């Protein structure tokens, strides 16, 4: 099964992927995670990508396309995958087609700007496990009770200066993918503004339908 999770940052793509990959027997591939690893490792790719990421801009298509192709060629992808954060532009989607990847379903997470900003500002990542939490009072999932603040990391691009730009970039460069995949008849919209269980349920239904 080959799936794409499409939608603005903060809509829950990563959280839902982490929840359902095991059930589906597929792997989650987040180009954002792969790029952050490259930055951390100080590789040539990481050096090229860092400035774009810090500013909330997209990393140039060719760099991300090469990275993704390399990742999906690995043996653990044979049973399928969820692409979380790829493609983000029409040329990236076309590159996926050209690579012969037949996508079964595109789940489109729909969420309004106000909620996106709220979610992103509360998002924290467990430094050790990489698990995504939300520390807003209404946020889900909450970190386990007693987790010290130092164990959790706030991404630089989840700070207010970068959030605004990421939204503009999403609307301009990524949203056209909705029409692209609608045209192929494989897009399913889900309401990402509800609670976590509701999003998991709707995402699973969209994948099975
Ligand atoms: P994410 O973790 O998906 O929010 O990605 C974090 C950042 O990595 C983005 O703001 C971009 O700078 C970069 N990035 C991740 N995926 C892509 C992609 N498919 N195309 C271009 N840039 C990407």
């Amino acid at each position: 099964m080959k799936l794409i999770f499409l939608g603005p940052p903060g809509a829950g793509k990563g959280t839902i992927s982490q929840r359902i990959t095991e059930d589906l027997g597929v792997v989650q591939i987040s180009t954002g995670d792969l790029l952050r690893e490259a930055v951390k490792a100080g590789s040539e790719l990481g050096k090229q990508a860092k400035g774009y990421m810090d500013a909330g801009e997209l990393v140039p298509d060719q760099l991300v396309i090469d990275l993704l192709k390399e990742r999906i060629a690995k043996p653990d992808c044979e049973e399928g995958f969820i692409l979380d954060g790829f493609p983000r532009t029409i040329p990236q989607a076309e590159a996926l087609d050209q690579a012969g990847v037949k996508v079964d379903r595109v789940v489109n997470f729909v969420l309004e700007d106000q909620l996106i900003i709220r979610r992103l500002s509360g998002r924290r990542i467990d430094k050790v496990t990489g698990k995504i939490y939300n520390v807003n009072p209404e946020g889900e999932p909450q970190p386990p009770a007693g987790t010290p603040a130092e164990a959790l990391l706030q991404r630089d691009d989840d700070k207010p200066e970068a959030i605004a730009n990421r939204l503009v970039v999403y609307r301009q460069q990524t949203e056209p993918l909705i029409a692209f995949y609608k045209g192929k008849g494989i897009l399913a919209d889900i309401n990402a503004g509800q609670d976590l269980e509701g999003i998991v349920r709707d995402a699973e239904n969209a994948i099975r339908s």
Side-chain angles (χ1 to χ4, degrees), residues 126-170:
D126 185 298
K127 283 182 189 164
V128 177
T129 65
K131 282 216 167 121
I132 304 165
Y133 296 109
N134 196 297
V135 297
N136 288 338
E138 79 291 358
E140 292 183 287
Q142 288 282 318
T147 305
E150 318 80 78
L152 302 174
L153 180 92
Q154 182 176 32
R155 279 169 48 175
D156 282 339
D157 59 352
D158 281 346
K159 293 176 183 161
E161 318 77 76
I163 291 179
N165 195 36
R166 287 165 73 203
L167 268 175
V168 172
V169 166
Y170 174 75

mmCIF file of all heavy atoms in Angstrom, residues 126-170:
data_model
loop_
_atom_site.group_PDB
_atom_site.id
_atom_site.type_symbol
_atom_site.label_atom_id
_atom_site.label_comp_id
_atom_site.label_asym_id
_atom_site.label_seq_id
_atom_site.Cartn_x
_atom_site.Cartn_y
_atom_site.Cartn_z
ATOM 1 N N ASP A 126 9.835 14.431 21.421
ATOM 2 C CA ASP A 126 10.667 13.748 22.419
ATOM 3 C C ASP A 126 12.064 13.567 21.826
ATOM 4 O O ASP A 126 12.221 12.976 20.760
ATOM 5 C CB ASP A 126 10.057 12.379 22.768
ATOM 6 C CG ASP A 126 10.838 11.696 23.890
ATOM 7 O OD1 ASP A 126 12.045 11.404 23.707
ATOM 8 O OD2 ASP A 126 10.231 11.449 24.941
ATOM 9 N N LYS A 127 13.062 14.084 22.548
ATOM 10 C CA LYS A 127 14.431 14.088 22.010
ATOM 11 C C LYS A 127 14.949 12.684 21.751
ATOM 12 O O LYS A 127 15.763 12.472 20.861
ATOM 13 C CB LYS A 127 15.386 14.769 23.008
ATOM 14 C CG LYS A 127 15.283 16.275 23.001
ATOM 15 C CD LYS A 127 16.298 16.864 23.975
ATOM 16 C CE LYS A 127 16.070 18.344 24.143
ATOM 17 N NZ LYS A 127 16.749 18.891 25.322
ATOM 18 N N VAL A 128 14.504 11.703 22.548
ATOM 19 C CA VAL A 128 15.034 10.352 22.414
ATOM 20 C C VAL A 128 14.209 9.514 21.434
ATOM 21 O O VAL A 128 14.743 8.905 20.512
ATOM 22 C CB VAL A 128 15.093 9.651 23.799
ATOM 23 C CG1 VAL A 128 15.570 8.217 23.653
ATOM 24 C CG2 VAL A 128 16.022 10.436 24.732
ATOM 25 N N THR A 129 12.887 9.514 21.597
ATOM 26 C CA THR A 129 12.063 8.599 20.785
ATOM 27 C C THR A 129 11.574 9.232 19.477
ATOM 28 O O THR A 129 11.122 8.521 18.586
ATOM 29 C CB THR A 129 10.808 8.163 21.564
ATOM 30 O OG1 THR A 129 9.993 9.338 21.779
ATOM 31 C CG2 THR A 129 11.167 7.543 22.898
ATOM 32 N N GLY A 130 11.617 10.553 19.383
ATOM 33 C CA GLY A 130 11.104 11.210 18.183
ATOM 34 C C GLY A 130 9.586 11.322 18.174
ATOM 35 O O GLY A 130 8.984 11.800 17.217
ATOM 36 N N LYS A 131 8.941 10.871 19.255
ATOM 37 C CA LYS A 131 7.473 10.922 19.296
ATOM 38 C C LYS A 131 6.991 12.369 19.355
ATOM 39 O O LYS A 131 7.612 13.219 19.992
ATOM 40 C CB LYS A 131 6.948 10.170 20.515
ATOM 41 C CG LYS A 131 6.949 8.690 20.333
ATOM 42 C CD LYS A 131 5.736 8.078 21.028
ATOM 43 C CE LYS A 131 5.554 6.652 20.583
ATOM 44 N NZ LYS A 131 5.593 5.691 21.649
ATOM 45 N N ILE A 132 5.856 12.625 18.706
ATOM 46 C CA ILE A 132 5.314 13.980 18.633
ATOM 47 C C ILE A 132 4.260 14.162 19.726
ATOM 48 O O ILE A 132 3.359 13.331 19.874
ATOM 49 C CB ILE A 132 4.648 14.223 17.258
ATOM 50 C CG1 ILE A 132 5.653 13.940 16.124
ATOM 51 C CG2 ILE A 132 4.105 15.645 17.166
ATOM 52 C CD1 ILE A 132 4.999 13.792 14.756
ATOM 53 N N TYR A 133 4.380 15.247 20.498
ATOM 54 C CA TYR A 133 3.392 15.573 21.531
ATOM 55 C C TYR A 133 2.909 16.999 21.335
ATOM 56 O O TYR A 133 3.459 17.757 20.524
ATOM 57 C CB TYR A 133 4.021 15.438 22.930
ATOM 58 C CG TYR A 133 4.440 14.027 23.258
ATOM 59 C CD1 TYR A 133 5.785 13.673 23.330
ATOM 60 C CD2 TYR A 133 3.485 13.040 23.470
ATOM 61 C CE1 TYR A 133 6.165 12.367 23.612
ATOM 62 C CE2 TYR A 133 3.867 11.730 23.761
ATOM 63 C CZ TYR A 133 5.197 11.403 23.827
ATOM 64 O OH TYR A 133 5.573 10.117 24.101
ATOM 65 N N ASN A 134 1.850 17.352 22.103
ATOM 66 C CA ASN A 134 1.393 18.738 22.064
ATOM 67 C C ASN A 134 1.121 19.192 23.484
ATOM 68 O O ASN A 134 0.339 18.565 24.205
ATOM 69 C CB ASN A 134 0.140 18.865 21.194
ATOM 70 C CG ASN A 134 -0.100 20.314 20.835
ATOM 71 O OD1 ASN A 134 -0.344 21.145 21.707
ATOM 72 N ND2 ASN A 134 0.008 20.631 19.559
ATOM 73 N N VAL A 135 1.799 20.278 23.893
ATOM 74 C CA VAL A 135 1.722 20.726 25.286
ATOM 75 C C VAL A 135 0.646 21.785 25.517
ATOM 76 O O VAL A 135 0.492 22.272 26.640
ATOM 77 C CB VAL A 135 3.097 21.245 25.795
ATOM 78 C CG1 VAL A 135 4.136 20.116 25.774
ATOM 79 C CG2 VAL A 135 3.599 22.433 24.965
ATOM 80 N N ASN A 136 -0.126 22.162 24.487
ATOM 81 C CA ASN A 136 -1.261 23.057 24.726
ATOM 82 C C ASN A 136 -2.246 22.338 25.652
ATOM 83 O O ASN A 136 -2.335 21.107 25.603
ATOM 84 C CB ASN A 136 -1.986 23.381 23.414
ATOM 85 C CG ASN A 136 -1.181 24.316 22.519
ATOM 86 O OD1 ASN A 136 -0.311 25.040 22.992
ATOM 87 N ND2 ASN A 136 -1.471 24.281 21.225
ATOM 88 N N PRO A 137 -3.000 23.097 26.486
ATOM 89 C CA PRO A 137 -3.941 22.418 27.402
ATOM 90 C C PRO A 137 -4.894 21.476 26.669
ATOM 91 O O PRO A 137 -5.194 20.391 27.154
ATOM 92 C CB PRO A 137 -4.710 23.580 28.047
ATOM 93 C CG PRO A 137 -3.819 24.775 27.891
ATOM 94 C CD PRO A 137 -2.983 24.557 26.658
ATOM 95 N N GLU A 138 -5.319 21.864 25.474
ATOM 96 C CA GLU A 138 -6.245 21.020 24.714
ATOM 97 C C GLU A 138 -5.493 20.104 23.735
ATOM 98 O O GLU A 138 -6.097 19.358 22.972
ATOM 99 C CB GLU A 138 -7.246 21.906 23.943
ATOM 100 C CG GLU A 138 -6.737 22.548 22.647
ATOM 101 C CD GLU A 138 -5.678 23.644 22.842
ATOM 102 O OE1 GLU A 138 -5.325 23.961 23.990
ATOM 103 O OE2 GLU A 138 -5.191 24.175 21.828
ATOM 104 N N GLY A 139 -4.141 20.166 23.764
ATOM 105 C CA GLY A 139 -3.337 19.463 22.762
ATOM 106 C C GLY A 139 -3.348 17.954 22.925
ATOM 107 O O GLY A 139 -3.477 17.430 24.029
ATOM 108 N N GLU A 140 -3.177 17.251 21.796
ATOM 109 C CA GLU A 140 -3.123 15.788 21.803
ATOM 110 C C GLU A 140 -2.041 15.323 20.851
ATOM 111 O O GLU A 140 -1.901 15.928 19.783
ATOM 112 C CB GLU A 140 -4.431 15.182 21.303
ATOM 113 C CG GLU A 140 -5.619 15.371 22.172
ATOM 114 C CD GLU A 140 -6.801 14.634 21.549
ATOM 115 O OE1 GLU A 140 -7.331 15.118 20.535
ATOM 116 O OE2 GLU A 140 -7.170 13.565 22.054
ATOM 117 N N PRO A 141 -1.324 14.238 21.167
ATOM 118 C CA PRO A 141 -1.308 13.598 22.477
ATOM 119 C C PRO A 141 -0.465 14.398 23.464
ATOM 120 O O PRO A 141 0.512 15.029 23.074
ATOM 121 C CB PRO A 141 -0.663 12.242 22.188
ATOM 122 C CG PRO A 141 0.200 12.474 20.988
ATOM 123 C CD PRO A 141 -0.448 13.559 20.189
ATOM 124 N N GLN A 142 -0.866 14.363 24.734
ATOM 125 C CA GLN A 142 -0.086 15.021 25.785
ATOM 126 C C GLN A 142 1.172 14.191 26.062
ATOM 127 O O GLN A 142 1.132 12.964 25.946
ATOM 128 C CB GLN A 142 -0.917 15.101 27.072
ATOM 129 C CG GLN A 142 -2.053 16.117 27.028
ATOM 130 C CD GLN A 142 -1.563 17.558 27.214
ATOM 131 O OE1 GLN A 142 -0.715 17.823 28.052
ATOM 132 N NE2 GLN A 142 -2.096 18.469 26.405
ATOM 133 N N PRO A 143 2.291 14.817 26.426
ATOM 134 C CA PRO A 143 3.449 14.018 26.841
ATOM 135 C C PRO A 143 3.090 13.217 28.092
ATOM 136 O O PRO A 143 2.234 13.647 28.869
ATOM 137 C CB PRO A 143 4.528 15.055 27.140
ATOM 138 C CG PRO A 143 3.903 16.395 27.037
ATOM 139 C CD PRO A 143 2.516 16.253 26.504
ATOM 140 N N PRO A 144 3.741 12.057 28.306
ATOM 141 C CA PRO A 144 3.441 11.269 29.503
ATOM 142 C C PRO A 144 3.650 12.095 30.770
ATOM 143 O O PRO A 144 4.548 12.948 30.796
ATOM 144 C CB PRO A 144 4.461 10.130 29.443
ATOM 145 C CG PRO A 144 4.928 10.073 28.023
ATOM 146 C CD PRO A 144 4.779 11.444 27.460
ATOM 147 N N ALA A 145 2.809 11.862 31.793
ATOM 148 C CA ALA A 145 2.894 12.634 33.041
ATOM 149 C C ALA A 145 4.310 12.557 33.595
ATOM 150 O O ALA A 145 4.944 11.496 33.563
ATOM 151 C CB ALA A 145 1.908 12.051 34.052
ATOM 152 N N GLY A 146 4.816 13.695 34.049
ATOM 153 C CA GLY A 146 6.134 13.717 34.675
ATOM 154 C C GLY A 146 7.280 13.920 33.687
ATOM 155 O O GLY A 146 8.445 13.964 34.083
ATOM 156 N N THR A 147 6.971 14.042 32.385
ATOM 157 C CA THR A 147 8.049 14.277 31.419
ATOM 158 C C THR A 147 8.651 15.656 31.667
ATOM 159 O O THR A 147 7.932 16.654 31.637
ATOM 160 C CB THR A 147 7.502 14.241 29.967
ATOM 161 O OG1 THR A 147 6.828 13.013 29.764
ATOM 162 C CG2 THR A 147 8.628 14.387 28.947
ATOM 163 N N PRO A 148 9.965 15.741 31.940
ATOM 164 C CA PRO A 148 10.545 17.059 32.171
ATOM 165 C C PRO A 148 10.607 17.860 30.863
ATOM 166 O O PRO A 148 10.783 17.273 29.793
ATOM 167 C CB PRO A 148 11.962 16.744 32.673
ATOM 168 C CG PRO A 148 12.237 15.348 32.259
ATOM 169 C CD PRO A 148 10.934 14.642 32.039
ATOM 170 N N ALA A 149 10.446 19.182 30.977
ATOM 171 C CA ALA A 149 10.437 20.038 29.783
ATOM 172 C C ALA A 149 11.709 19.844 28.956
ATOM 173 O O ALA A 149 11.672 19.899 27.724
ATOM 174 C CB ALA A 149 10.276 21.499 30.194
ATOM 175 N N GLU A 150 12.850 19.554 29.637
ATOM 176 C CA GLU A 150 14.121 19.417 28.893
ATOM 177 C C GLU A 150 14.137 18.182 27.992
ATOM 178 O O GLU A 150 14.980 18.081 27.102
ATOM 179 C CB GLU A 150 15.343 19.292 29.819
ATOM 180 C CG GLU A 150 15.390 20.186 31.024
ATOM 181 C CD GLU A 150 14.524 19.666 32.162
ATOM 182 O OE1 GLU A 150 14.921 18.728 32.874
ATOM 183 O OE2 GLU A 150 13.418 20.245 32.321
ATOM 184 N N ALA A 151 13.224 17.232 28.250
ATOM 185 C CA ALA A 151 13.216 16.015 27.416
ATOM 186 C C ALA A 151 12.549 16.275 26.071
ATOM 187 O O ALA A 151 12.629 15.460 25.162
ATOM 188 C CB ALA A 151 12.487 14.895 28.145
ATOM 189 N N LEU A 152 11.879 17.428 25.986
ATOM 190 C CA LEU A 152 11.122 17.727 24.778
ATOM 191 C C LEU A 152 11.764 18.888 24.029
ATOM 192 O O LEU A 152 12.281 19.828 24.625
ATOM 193 C CB LEU A 152 9.675 18.098 25.136
ATOM 194 C CG LEU A 152 8.896 17.034 25.909
ATOM 195 C CD1 LEU A 152 7.540 17.593 26.328
ATOM 196 C CD2 LEU A 152 8.717 15.771 25.076
ATOM 197 N N LEU A 153 11.675 18.793 22.710
ATOM 198 C CA LEU A 153 12.322 19.789 21.863
ATOM 199 C C LEU A 153 11.262 20.546 21.073
ATOM 200 O O LEU A 153 10.310 19.941 20.581
ATOM 201 C CB LEU A 153 13.213 19.007 20.891
ATOM 202 C CG LEU A 153 14.027 19.768 19.885
ATOM 203 C CD1 LEU A 153 15.395 20.021 20.508
ATOM 204 C CD2 LEU A 153 14.200 18.925 18.620
ATOM 205 N N GLN A 154 11.427 21.872 20.991
ATOM 206 C CA GLN A 154 10.562 22.626 20.072
ATOM 207 C C GLN A 154 11.349 22.885 18.797
ATOM 208 O O GLN A 154 12.470 23.410 18.842
ATOM 209 C CB GLN A 154 10.117 23.958 20.676
ATOM 210 C CG GLN A 154 9.172 24.697 19.730
ATOM 211 C CD GLN A 154 8.606 25.992 20.284
ATOM 212 O OE1 GLN A 154 9.266 26.680 21.069
ATOM 213 N NE2 GLN A 154 7.398 26.335 19.884
ATOM 214 N N ARG A 155 10.803 22.473 17.660
ATOM 215 C CA ARG A 155 11.508 22.707 16.394
ATOM 216 C C ARG A 155 11.657 24.200 16.154
ATOM 217 O O ARG A 155 10.737 24.969 16.406
ATOM 218 C CB ARG A 155 10.699 22.084 15.246
ATOM 219 C CG ARG A 155 10.910 20.605 15.113
ATOM 220 C CD ARG A 155 9.918 19.966 14.165
ATOM 221 N NE ARG A 155 9.773 20.671 12.896
ATOM 222 C CZ ARG A 155 9.020 20.217 11.891
ATOM 223 N NH1 ARG A 155 8.367 19.073 12.006
ATOM 224 N NH2 ARG A 155 8.913 20.900 10.772
ATOM 225 N N ASP A 156 12.823 24.608 15.625
ATOM 226 C CA ASP A 156 13.040 26.031 15.333
ATOM 227 C C ASP A 156 11.960 26.575 14.406
ATOM 228 O O ASP A 156 11.518 27.711 14.548
ATOM 229 C CB ASP A 156 14.407 26.233 14.653
ATOM 230 C CG ASP A 156 15.529 26.175 15.669
ATOM 231 O OD1 ASP A 156 15.243 26.383 16.870
ATOM 232 O OD2 ASP A 156 16.674 25.908 15.271
ATOM 233 N N ASP A 157 11.526 25.738 13.451
ATOM 234 C CA ASP A 157 10.541 26.250 12.484
ATOM 235 C C ASP A 157 9.115 26.174 13.027
ATOM 236 O O ASP A 157 8.167 26.500 12.327
ATOM 237 C CB ASP A 157 10.678 25.547 11.119
ATOM 238 C CG ASP A 157 10.493 24.046 11.176
ATOM 239 O OD1 ASP A 157 10.396 23.486 12.292
ATOM 240 O OD2 ASP A 157 10.431 23.417 10.102
ATOM 241 N N ASP A 158 8.941 25.764 14.301
ATOM 242 C CA ASP A 158 7.625 25.857 14.943
ATOM 243 C C ASP A 158 7.523 27.151 15.750
ATOM 244 O O ASP A 158 6.543 27.364 16.470
ATOM 245 C CB ASP A 158 7.364 24.654 15.854
ATOM 246 C CG ASP A 158 6.938 23.418 15.051
ATOM 247 O OD1 ASP A 158 6.603 23.563 13.858
ATOM 248 O OD2 ASP A 158 6.929 22.320 15.631
ATOM 249 N N LYS A 159 8.562 27.993 15.673
ATOM 250 C CA LYS A 159 8.496 29.281 16.376
ATOM 251 C C LYS A 159 7.780 30.290 15.471
ATOM 252 O O LYS A 159 7.783 30.135 14.240
ATOM 253 C CB LYS A 159 9.903 29.706 16.779
ATOM 254 C CG LYS A 159 10.416 28.722 17.850
ATOM 255 C CD LYS A 159 11.831 28.934 18.305
ATOM 256 C CE LYS A 159 12.161 27.815 19.314
ATOM 257 N NZ LYS A 159 13.584 27.602 19.512
ATOM 258 N N PRO A 160 7.114 31.302 16.085
ATOM 259 C CA PRO A 160 6.183 32.141 15.329
ATOM 260 C C PRO A 160 6.721 32.732 14.020
ATOM 261 O O PRO A 160 5.998 32.775 13.021
ATOM 262 C CB PRO A 160 5.844 33.264 16.311
ATOM 263 C CG PRO A 160 6.122 32.704 17.653
ATOM 264 C CD PRO A 160 7.198 31.674 17.500
ATOM 265 N N GLU A 161 7.996 33.142 13.986
ATOM 266 C CA GLU A 161 8.523 33.790 12.772
ATOM 267 C C GLU A 161 8.436 32.852 11.573
ATOM 268 O O GLU A 161 8.112 33.275 10.455
ATOM 269 C CB GLU A 161 9.992 34.200 12.930
ATOM 270 C CG GLU A 161 10.400 34.825 14.247
ATOM 271 C CD GLU A 161 10.572 33.811 15.384
ATOM 272 O OE1 GLU A 161 11.588 33.085 15.426
ATOM 273 O OE2 GLU A 161 9.655 33.758 16.242
ATOM 274 N N ALA A 162 8.768 31.579 11.795
ATOM 275 C CA ALA A 162 8.802 30.639 10.672
ATOM 276 C C ALA A 162 7.417 30.098 10.336
ATOM 277 O O ALA A 162 7.133 29.790 9.180
ATOM 278 C CB ALA A 162 9.752 29.482 10.967
ATOM 279 N N ILE A 163 6.521 30.028 11.338
ATOM 280 C CA ILE A 163 5.196 29.439 11.096
ATOM 281 C C ILE A 163 4.456 30.204 10.002
ATOM 282 O O ILE A 163 3.900 29.616 9.073
ATOM 283 C CB ILE A 163 4.339 29.411 12.385
ATOM 284 C CG1 ILE A 163 4.912 28.402 13.390
ATOM 285 C CG2 ILE A 163 2.896 29.054 12.066
ATOM 286 C CD1 ILE A 163 4.147 28.329 14.713
ATOM 287 N N ALA A 164 4.480 31.540 10.097
ATOM 288 C CA ALA A 164 3.718 32.357 9.145
ATOM 289 C C ALA A 164 4.184 32.068 7.722
ATOM 290 O O ALA A 164 3.373 31.873 6.801
ATOM 291 C CB ALA A 164 3.888 33.837 9.482
ATOM 292 N N ASN A 165 5.487 31.994 7.532
ATOM 293 C CA ASN A 165 6.001 31.736 6.183
ATOM 294 C C ASN A 165 5.662 30.330 5.696
ATOM 295 O O ASN A 165 5.352 30.127 4.525
ATOM 296 C CB ASN A 165 7.518 31.970 6.146
ATOM 297 C CG ASN A 165 8.009 32.074 4.713
ATOM 298 O OD1 ASN A 165 7.308 32.609 3.860
ATOM 299 N ND2 ASN A 165 9.180 31.542 4.435
ATOM 300 N N ARG A 166 5.686 29.363 6.598
ATOM 301 C CA ARG A 166 5.379 27.993 6.177
ATOM 302 C C ARG A 166 3.942 27.889 5.669
ATOM 303 O O ARG A 166 3.660 27.123 4.752
ATOM 304 C CB ARG A 166 5.605 27.020 7.336
ATOM 305 C CG ARG A 166 7.092 26.820 7.613
ATOM 306 C CD ARG A 166 7.323 26.175 8.944
ATOM 307 N NE ARG A 166 6.966 24.766 8.951
ATOM 308 C CZ ARG A 166 6.663 24.095 10.054
ATOM 309 N NH1 ARG A 166 6.635 24.706 11.221
ATOM 310 N NH2 ARG A 166 6.382 22.827 9.989
ATOM 311 N N LEU A 167 3.057 28.683 6.269
ATOM 312 C CA LEU A 167 1.660 28.669 5.809
ATOM 313 C C LEU A 167 1.527 29.244 4.405
ATOM 314 O O LEU A 167 0.822 28.693 3.564
ATOM 315 C CB LEU A 167 0.803 29.491 6.772
ATOM 316 C CG LEU A 167 0.194 28.680 7.892
ATOM 317 C CD1 LEU A 167 -0.537 29.583 8.874
ATOM 318 C CD2 LEU A 167 -0.785 27.686 7.287
ATOM 319 N N VAL A 168 2.231 30.356 4.165
ATOM 320 C CA VAL A 168 2.195 30.975 2.833
ATOM 321 C C VAL A 168 2.750 29.988 1.803
ATOM 322 O O VAL A 168 2.162 29.766 0.742
ATOM 323 C CB VAL A 168 3.025 32.293 2.819
ATOM 324 C CG1 VAL A 168 3.156 32.844 1.412
ATOM 325 C CG2 VAL A 168 2.400 33.318 3.749
ATOM 326 N N VAL A 169 3.885 29.375 2.151
ATOM 327 C CA VAL A 169 4.519 28.404 1.247
ATOM 328 C C VAL A 169 3.558 27.243 0.969
ATOM 329 O O VAL A 169 3.396 26.799 -0.166
ATOM 330 C CB VAL A 169 5.845 27.888 1.869
ATOM 331 C CG1 VAL A 169 6.359 26.659 1.142
ATOM 332 C CG2 VAL A 169 6.902 28.993 1.861
ATOM 333 N N TYR A 170 2.867 26.773 2.011
ATOM 334 C CA TYR A 170 1.925 25.667 1.825
ATOM 335 C C TYR A 170 0.826 26.057 0.831
ATOM 336 O O TYR A 170 0.547 25.327 -0.116
ATOM 337 C CB TYR A 170 1.295 25.233 3.162
ATOM 338 C CG TYR A 170 0.232 24.190 2.923
ATOM 339 C CD1 TYR A 170 0.590 22.877 2.610
ATOM 340 C CD2 TYR A 170 -1.114 24.526 2.914
ATOM 341 C CE1 TYR A 170 -0.370 21.928 2.300
ATOM 342 C CE2 TYR A 170 -2.081 23.586 2.615
ATOM 343 C CZ TYR A 170 -1.703 22.294 2.310
ATOM 344 O OH TYR A 170 -2.662 21.359 1.979
#
